[in-house]
């Protein structure tokens, strides 16, 4: 038995097909009335998205003015470019300082008991040329600025210069050149209207630590020339420097580089002590080789001398 609903649908279709014009059936639903105490939830709008706007590029129109953010980035760009250019100039100047300071050190190593005044005079003149020509470039680049920002660019050249300057002073007077004396010598190169470049304590200590290696080479050379007492004075000085720095290094914040230099300094102290100890204990065997005019005596071997 066909249900009543299906029969009604069939009748409606027959009636719609027999009519000449289409019949539009509009069903209107009344909006539900909000009940008291209930919140009304609004349905989202059924309107479609707004029409898309096509982008056009104006070729003849003038560009818009730069914003404040673009101007700020432009200033930072100029600052970083200038800083990088200055760093490159400092690296080149530091390389020149290192190379010429090494030449001064090599000049001092030519010293002997006969030409001491001549060698030291030439070394001091070469050191003054390093200050005026190459250290002066560092001073002009760094004066009046925060030179701690660029310390890694010039620290190795400054350390080499300190090593050369202290080496010359020690060979001339037997004393150590102080940091205040080095900074005072740089004031003449600076402009009085701006803050002068001052070598910091860390670079000075690192340069003094490198000095022990040159003093070790100098002591070995003086022993070979017969100046044993001079070598002993050098040994005592290097030992004092090492002892004082041993107390200072644990108090330094960034002391990785200093720890490596302290290990090298200890090796230099041991080499000088072994050389001086060997000459002191077995000096009678090496008297002819140490500059003595006496003839060698082999009587302690239990045999007679031979011509």
């Amino acid at each position: 038995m066909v249900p009543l609903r299906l029969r009604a649908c069939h009748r409606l279709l027959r009636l719609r097909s027999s009519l000449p014009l289409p019949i539009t059936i509009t069903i209107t639903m009344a909006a539900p009335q909000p009940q008291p105490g209930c919140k009304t939830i609004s349905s989202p709008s059924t309107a479609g998205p707004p029409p898309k706007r096509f982008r056009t590029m104006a070729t003849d129109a003038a560009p818009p003015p730069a914003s404040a953010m673009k101007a700020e980035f432009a200033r930072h760009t100029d600052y970083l470019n200038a800083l990088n250019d200055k760093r490159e100039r400092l690296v080149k100047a530091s390389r020149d300082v290192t190379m010429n300071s090494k030449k001064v050190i090599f000049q001092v190593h030519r010293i002997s008991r006969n030409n001491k005044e001549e060698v030291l005079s030439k070394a001091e003149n070469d050191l003054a040329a390093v200050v005026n020509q190459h250290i002066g470039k560092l001073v002009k680049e760094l004066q009046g600025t925060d030179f701690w920002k660029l310390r890694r660019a010039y620290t190795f050249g400054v350390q080499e210069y300190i090593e050369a300057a202290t080496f010359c002073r020690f060979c001339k007077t037997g004393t150590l050149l102080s940091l205040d004396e080095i900074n005072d010598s740089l004031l003449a190169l600076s402009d009085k209207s701006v803050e002068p470049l001052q070598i910091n304590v860390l670079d000075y200590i690192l340069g003094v630590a490198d000095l022990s290696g040159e003093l070790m080479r100098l002591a070995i050379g003086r022993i070979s020339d017969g100046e044993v007492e001079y070598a002993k004075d050098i040994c005592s000085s290097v030992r004092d420097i090492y002892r004082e720095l041993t107390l200072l290094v644990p108090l330094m914040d960034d002391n990785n580089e200093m720890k490596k230099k302290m290990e090298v300094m200890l090796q230099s102290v041991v080499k000088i002590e072994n050389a001086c100890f060997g000459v002191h204990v077995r000096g009678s065997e090496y008297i002819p080789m140490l500059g003595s005019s006496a003839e060698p005596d082999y009587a302690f071997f239990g045999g007679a001398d031979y011509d």
Side-chain angles (χ1 to χ4, degrees):
M1 189 173 188
V2 181
L4 296 177
R5 290 182 180 179
L6 292 178
R7 291 180 180 178
C9 290
H10 284 297
R11 291 177 181 177
L12 181 61
L13 291 175
R14 291 175 184 174
L15 179 62
R16 186 176 181 180
S17 59
S18 62
L19 293 176
L21 296 176
I23 298 175
T24 303
I25 301 174
T26 304
I27 300 175
T28 304
M29 298 179 63
Q33 297 296 330
Q35 298 180 1
C38 297
K39 296 181 179 181
T40 304
I41 301 175
S42 59
S43 60
S45 176
T46 58
K52 295 183 178 180
R53 296 181 180 179
F54 295 98
R55 297 181 179 180
T56 58
M57 182 173 60
T59 56
D60 297 334
S67 62
M69 182 177 294
K70 288 184 179 180
E72 187 68 22
F73 273 103
R75 286 193 294 269
H76 285 294
T77 301
D78 296 337
Y79 171 76
L80 292 177
N81 290 335
L83 188 66
N84 291 331
D85 293 341
K86 178 179 289 189
R87 181 181 290 107
E88 293 298 327
R89 293 193 298 269
L90 290 175
V91 169
K92 183 180 182 304
S94 176
R95 193 182 300 116
D96 295 337
V97 172
T98 302
M99 180 180 61
N100 290 276
S101 297
K102 287 183 179 296
K103 291 180 180 179
V104 174
I105 294 174
F106 296 154
Q107 176 67 27
V108 176
H109 275 299
R110 297 189 180 97
I111 192 174
S112 65
R113 64 175 65 185
N114 299 324
N115 62 353
K116 180 178 179 180
E117 298 296 333
E118 179 184 357
V119 170
L120 290 179
S121 177
K122 188 177 185 307
E124 289 178 350
N125 293 333
D126 294 342
L127 189 64
V130 173
V131 173
N132 295 328
Q133 297 178 10
H134 305 291
I135 296 292
K137 294 181 180 179
L138 293 177
V139 173
K140 291 180 181 178
E141 290 289 344
L142 295 172
Q143 62 181 358
T145 62
D146 189 5
F147 39 79
W148 275 98
K149 295 179 181 179
L150 301 171
R151 176 183 170 271
R152 300 297 299 177
Y154 66 89
T155 177
F156 300 106
V158 170
Q159 293 177 26
E160 197 69 28
Y161 166 72
I162 292 173
E163 182 181 358
T166 52
F167 191 39
C168 287
R169 172 64 67 86
F170 184 87
C171 292
K172 185 176 182 180
T173 63
T175 59
L176 192 64
L177 186 65
S178 65
L179 177 61
D180 294 335
E181 292 176 334
I182 295 176
N183 285 329
D184 291 341
S185 65
L186 300 180
L187 293 177
L189 303 174
S190 304
D191 189 359
K192 297 181 179 180
S193 60
V194 295
E195 181 182 0
L197 171 66
Q198 296 289 286
I199 297 176
N200 56 76
V201 180
L202 180 59
D203 290 338
Y204 175 76
I205 294 176
L206 293 173
V208 172
D210 292 334
L211 175 65
S212 62
E214 303 302 332
L215 293 178
M216 182 269 296
R217 298 181 185 91
L218 180 65
I220 300 300
R222 295 307 90 221
I223 290 175
S224 63
D225 287 345
E227 301 181 46
V228 182
E229 295 300 326
Y230 188 33
K232 291 181 180 179
D233 294 339
I234 295 175
C235 180
S236 177
S237 299
V238 176
R239 191 186 295 129
D240 293 340
I241 295 173
Y242 177 77
R243 182 178 63 251
E244 297 297 331
L245 291 181
T246 303
L247 302 175
L248 180 62
V249 171
L251 304 177
M252 299 172 62
D253 296 333
D254 186 12
N255 58 356
N256 293 328
E257 186 177 2
M258 193 63 196
K259 286 182 178 179
K260 298 178 182 178
K261 291 182 181 292
M262 291 298 293
E263 295 176 359
V264 177
M265 185 183 298
L266 179 59
Q267 296 175 4
S268 300
V269 173
V270 172
K271 288 180 181 179
I272 301 174
E273 290 178 345
N274 290 338
C276 294
F277 179 77
V279 171
H280 181 75
V281 173
R282 306 177 62 185
S284 59
E285 303 176 20
Y286 298 100
I287 287 177
M289 300 187 335
L290 296 180
S292 175
S293 59
E295 294 294 333
D297 185 10
Y298 302 100
F300 58 89
F301 283 114
D305 294 344
Y306 294 95
D307 294 337

